[in-house]
């Protein structure tokens, strides 16, 4: 770009590159952990599930109240659909439920690079990079353990997509 322009215009406007990485995730299927332990049956015990109760998320970000964990606005799914198996049964639930998904997330990384060349032997690079450029934060998974009745089915916190926004600059001299 601008290879045949005046050297001053080329040194300011030419030689720029932009890089991007976009990562979008729709959320993962979740499982429910029962509060039951039978010796020798680890990992084979599932929660009792009532399939007549709708599992679709009822979470509304506008009513999220992190100051009160038991607030009905923090509910992600109806906890009445699940219970612990009784009578040494292994439970009729599933390992993962497609209708019961974690929150999706988005992450954008952007880099801007400027190159200058001096003869064929020397080059200079100026770079700026934004990791998680829009500083997105997300809701953590709701509680999925029947052992904790206070947080089961409730969203209790938020988290960053990996890390908070990171801005870094660099200079490089090549010869």
């Amino acid at each position: 770009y601008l290879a045949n322009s005046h050297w001053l215009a080329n040194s300011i406007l030419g030689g720029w590159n932009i890089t991007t990485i976009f990562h979008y995730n729709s959320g993962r299927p979740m499982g429910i952990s029962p509060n039951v332990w039978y010796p020798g049956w680890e990992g084979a015990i599932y929660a009792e599930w009532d399939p007549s109760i709708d599992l679709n998320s009822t979470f509304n970000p506008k009513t999220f109240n992190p100051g009160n964990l038991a607030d009905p606005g923090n509910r992600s799914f109806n906890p009445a659909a699940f219970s612990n198996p009784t009578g040494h049964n292994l439970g009729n639930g599933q390992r993962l439920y497609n209708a019961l998904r974690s929150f999706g997330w988005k992450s954008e990384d952007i880099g801007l690079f400027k190159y200058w060349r001096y003869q064929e032997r020397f080059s200079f690079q100026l770079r700026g990079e934004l990791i998680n450029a829009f500083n997105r934060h997300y809701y953590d998974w709701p509680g999925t353990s029947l052992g904790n009745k206070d947080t089961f089915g409730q969203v209790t916190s938020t988290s960053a997509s990996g890390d908070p926004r990171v801005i870094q600059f660099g200079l490089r001299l090549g010869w």
Side-chain angles (χ1 to χ4, degrees), residues 117-123 174-175:
R117 297 225 181 270
Y118 180 72
Q119 299 177 349
E120 287 187 24
R121 185 169 179 205
F122 297 103
S123 66
W175 65 89

Side-chain angles (χ1 to χ4, degrees), residues 85-106:
T86 58
H88 295 293
N89 290 322
L90 298 180
N92 70 343
Q94 302 171 2
R95 184 173 164 267
L96 298 172
Y97 298 85
N98 272 330
L100 190 62
R101 299 185 79 81
S102 66
F103 297 100
W105 57 274
K106 302 172 190 165

Side-chain angles (χ1 to χ4, degrees), residues 59-74 139 155-156:
F59 183 74
N60 182 353
K62 293 179 181 173
T63 60
F64 178 62
N65 181 2
N68 179 4
L69 298 182
D71 191 306
N74 297 355
Y139 297 103
V155 178
T156 59

Side-chain angles (χ1 to χ4, degrees), residues 81-165:
F82 302 99
S83 62
N84 283 312
T86 58
H88 295 293
N89 290 322
L90 298 180
N92 70 343
Q94 302 171 2
R95 184 173 164 267
L96 298 172
Y97 298 85
N98 272 330
L100 190 62
R101 299 185 79 81
S102 66
F103 297 100
W105 57 274
K106 302 172 190 165
S107 178
E108 298 87 4
D109 302 336
I110 301 171
L112 188 61
F113 304 82
K114 169 71 172 134
Y115 293 92
W116 289 274
R117 297 225 181 270
Y118 180 72
Q119 299 177 349
E120 287 187 24
R121 185 169 179 205
F122 297 103
S123 66
F124 182 72
Q125 178 192 65
L126 171 68
R127 68 190 305 152
E129 297 168 312
L130 289 94
I131 308 336
N132 189 10
F134 302 115
N135 201 29
R136 296 183 188 267
H137 288 73
Y138 300 96
Y139 297 103
D140 275 338
W141 285 40
T144 57
S145 173
L146 283 164
N148 191 341
K149 293 292 183 188
D150 294 333
T151 60
F152 181 63
Q154 300 288 100
V155 178
T156 59
S157 63
T158 60
S159 68
S161 158
D163 292 316
R165 179 187 308 128

Side-chain angles (χ1 to χ4, degrees), residues 34 36 38 41-42 44-48 85-93:
V36 175
Y38 305 141
W41 288 95
E42 291 84 8
I45 305 167
Y46 299 107
E48 286 291 330
T86 58
H88 295 293
N89 290 322
L90 298 180
N92 70 343

